[in-house]
Amino acid sequence: MDKIIVRGGHALRGTIPISGAKNATLPALAATLLTGERVHLSNIPHLKDVTTMLELLGQHGSAITIDEKLGVEIDNSQVNNFRAPYDLVRTMRASILVMGPLVARHGQAEISLPGGCAIGSRPVNLHIEGLRKMGAQISLDEGYIRAKAKRLRGARIYLNPVTVTGTENLMMAAALADGRTVLENAAREPEVTDLAIFLNKMGARIQGAGTSTIIIDGVEELRGTQHRIIPDRIETATFMVAAAVTHGDITLTDTDAESLESPIQKLRESGVVIEIQDAGRIRVSAPDPLLPVNLETCPYPGFPTDLQAQMLVLDSLAQGVSVITETVFENRFMHVSELQRLGADIRVHGNVAEVHGVDHLLGAPVMATDLRASASLVLAGLAAEGATTISRVYHIDRGYERIEEKLQALGADIQRTSG
């Protein structure tokens, strides 16, 4: 099993490009099932989750052409299998996203209950109840969700709690439904907006994406198109924190500062200098010492839960005491015990982490527990004295493209080993 070894103490310096957003790529790939015409997607990141989604599409009958530079072309004219098997779905929760498109265009879907990171309960009941309101007949049997509908019909659906994948799944289903669908308390994430833009290029009629109310007027069919995936805001912010904890000076290109308002605000509160050179280029440098920052995770446009672990590292090295409150997932402090092995002074009380900054961290063997936790351990290793060995790094390959190569380009002493 692969491990990543980080020898800390090197300030990161240089320029690196940001990859396409995983959380925008996965729903876009699922959305191609809504048309029998060819669709071309570019700026696709090379990630394990993307590979899994492409394998899933291939299982359904999609014809897929991959060009390392130009992107992915998908032809769904011969889709003839509507089952998403456990072996694929168990590794990636986003597999549930094929359910809405399959039912909308083909009238049926059989989807294994999904897996993914063990960071708390992420039920799919809102996906199921939303499709039921749109007229689908749904049953749960032997670990599979079975859905059927001659044609979905428009409905008014209130999503409580707010759900990103639920919003995306129902928005895709509604694109081919009969009549108008209104999604209330919809997710506002940039990835949802990007999906709506993509669907509208295909001929969908969607209004309000990026707000809490999305209106979809169903159409008879969708057409092929081309679309470029937006930059990954979580990768961007992770590298911004990497610059901060190593007191470095890096420039990030091919990104989008507009989607990072909350993280940028919190980093600036910590004393990090952030220069937005244009919408796609950000320079980040950091003083020593850093200042502690209190934050509370919440849905967009609030502070992302996917950056909580990374900011926990920053606060662990800040001069003072800070409080981080996790409101999105109930089991997302599993990385705390691993950071404590490096010398972090963190005390967890329910969904609140009280962080007492320390002068330095010391390298040690640690184990990744989920995707973003693995990123936090890499960041901690970059800042620590000595060597940090991170095991179970398959998590990080699900969401970060060539992370060792990018960090090496910035001067980090980091390598991957097998066995």
Side-chain angles (χ1 to χ4, degrees):
M1 187 176 293
D2 285 3
K3 296 180 180 180
I4 288 178
I5 301 174
V6 188
R7 294 175 177 84
H10 302 276
L12 300 185
R13 301 187 185 282
T15 300
I16 55 165
I18 294 300
S19 302
K22 181 197 82 158
N23 290 337
T25 300
L26 300 179
L29 289 171
T32 66
L33 290 166
L34 289 165
T35 179
E37 298 184 12
R38 296 185 182 219
V39 174
H40 186 272
L41 296 172
S42 59
N43 203 31
I44 300 290
H46 297 250
L47 302 170
K48 176 58 178 172
D49 276 8
V50 173
T51 300
T52 300
M53 183 62 85
L54 289 170
E55 290 177 1
L56 182 56
L57 291 180
Q59 181 118 349
H60 290 313
S62 305
I64 301 168
T65 304
I66 300 174
D67 186 296
E68 296 293 329
K69 295 182 179 180
L70 300 178
V72 177
E73 184 172 89
I74 302 173
D75 180 350
N76 284 315
S77 60
Q78 302 300 317
V79 167
N80 56 9
N81 177 22
F82 313 112
R83 179 182 175 92
Y86 173 73
D87 285 348
L88 285 176
V89 175
R90 68 183 175 87
T91 64
M92 186 182 68
R93 177 179 171 77
S95 305
I96 192 72
L97 289 168
V98 302
M99 182 167 64
L102 286 175
V103 175
R105 180 166 166 241
H106 296 283
Q108 59 182 306
E110 187 175 346
I111 314 295
S112 173
L113 288 169
C117 289
I119 57 175
S121 176
R122 298 192 286 181
V124 298
N125 61 300
L126 295 181
H127 303 243
I128 293 170
E129 292 306 315
L131 286 173
R132 278 181 173 153
K133 286 186 177 180
M134 297 172 72
Q137 296 179 337
I138 298 180
S139 62
L140 300 176
D141 184 34
E142 298 180 339
Y144 279 81
I145 306 166
R146 293 182 170 89
K148 290 185 177 182
K150 191 170 184 179
R151 187 182 180 189
L152 296 173
R153 59 178 182 269
R156 182 174 290 270
I157 302 169
Y158 184 81
L159 299 169
N160 184 26
V162 61
T163 162
V164 174
T165 55
T167 298
E168 292 167 341
N169 220 344
L170 297 175
M171 185 167 67
M172 289 187 285
L176 290 179
D178 182 15
R180 170 170 287 189
T181 298
V182 179
L183 302 180
E184 298 178 308
N185 199 35
R188 299 166 59 187
E189 272 73 2
E191 295 79 14
V192 173
T193 302
D194 193 52
L195 177 61
I197 291 170
F198 174 43
L199 291 170
N200 283 340
K201 288 180 181 178
M202 295 170 69
R205 298 171 60 193
I206 301 172
Q207 307 171 58
T211 75
S212 58
T213 301
I214 301 177
I215 300 171
I216 309 104
D217 290 301
V219 297
E220 290 289 336
E221 61 181 10
L222 296 178
R223 60 180 177 267
T225 191
Q226 297 183 12
H227 182 69
R228 180 176 174 82
I229 299 296
I230 60 173
D232 195 317
R233 61 193 173 97
I234 303 301
E235 184 195 25
T236 302
T238 298
F239 277 104
M240 293 169 78
V241 176
V245 298
T246 64
H247 308 294
D249 186 342
I250 69 174
T251 298
L252 306 171
T253 63
D254 303 329
T255 187
D256 178 17
E258 293 183 4
S259 66
L260 290 162
E261 183 175 342
S262 180
I264 286 174
Q265 176 188 337
K266 288 300 178 181
L267 285 168
R268 282 174 169 162
E269 286 180 21
S270 188
V272 179
V273 178
I274 299 174
E275 179 188 351
I276 301 172
Q277 297 177 339
D278 58 48
R281 189 178 178 92
I282 305 172
R283 183 178 177 183
V284 186
S285 58
D288 187 4
L290 296 165
L291 302 175
V293 178
N294 298 328
L295 63 88
E296 179 177 304
T297 65
C298 52
Y300 191 86
F303 194 89
T305 181
D306 280 353
L307 288 174
Q308 175 254 103
Q310 297 90 313
M311 287 298 291
L312 202 57
V313 176
L314 185 149
D315 274 340
S316 293
L317 292 163
Q319 195 173 64
V321 180
S322 56
V323 174
I324 293 181
T325 304
E326 174 60 55
T327 71
V328 179
F329 295 121
E330 74 277 10
N331 194 26
R332 207 168 199 183
F333 281 131
M334 292 188 294
H335 44 280
V336 167
S337 61
E338 300 303 305
L339 291 174
Q340 288 169 338
R341 288 176 54 79
L342 300 174
D345 186 353
I346 306 169
R347 305 155 197 188
V348 176
H349 312 282
N351 69 328
V352 176
E354 181 182 304
V355 188
H356 295 252
V358 296
D359 290 335
H360 60 272
L361 299 175
L362 291 174
V366 291
M367 181 177 66
T369 55
D370 63 69
L371 168 54
R372 304 306 172 183
S374 62
S376 75
L377 296 177
V378 170
L379 298 185
L382 292 171
E385 298 177 5
T388 299
T389 301
I390 306 163
S391 60
R392 296 179 68 185
V393 296
Y394 56 84
H395 286 296
I396 206 165
D397 295 332
R398 293 183 50 229
Y400 291 90
E401 181 179 35
R402 300 180 293 104
I403 190 166
E404 312 101 272
E405 293 178 33
K406 289 188 176 184
L407 288 171
Q408 286 167 358
L410 296 173
D413 186 346
I414 180 172
Q415 64 185 41
R416 181 180 295 241
T417 63
S418 298

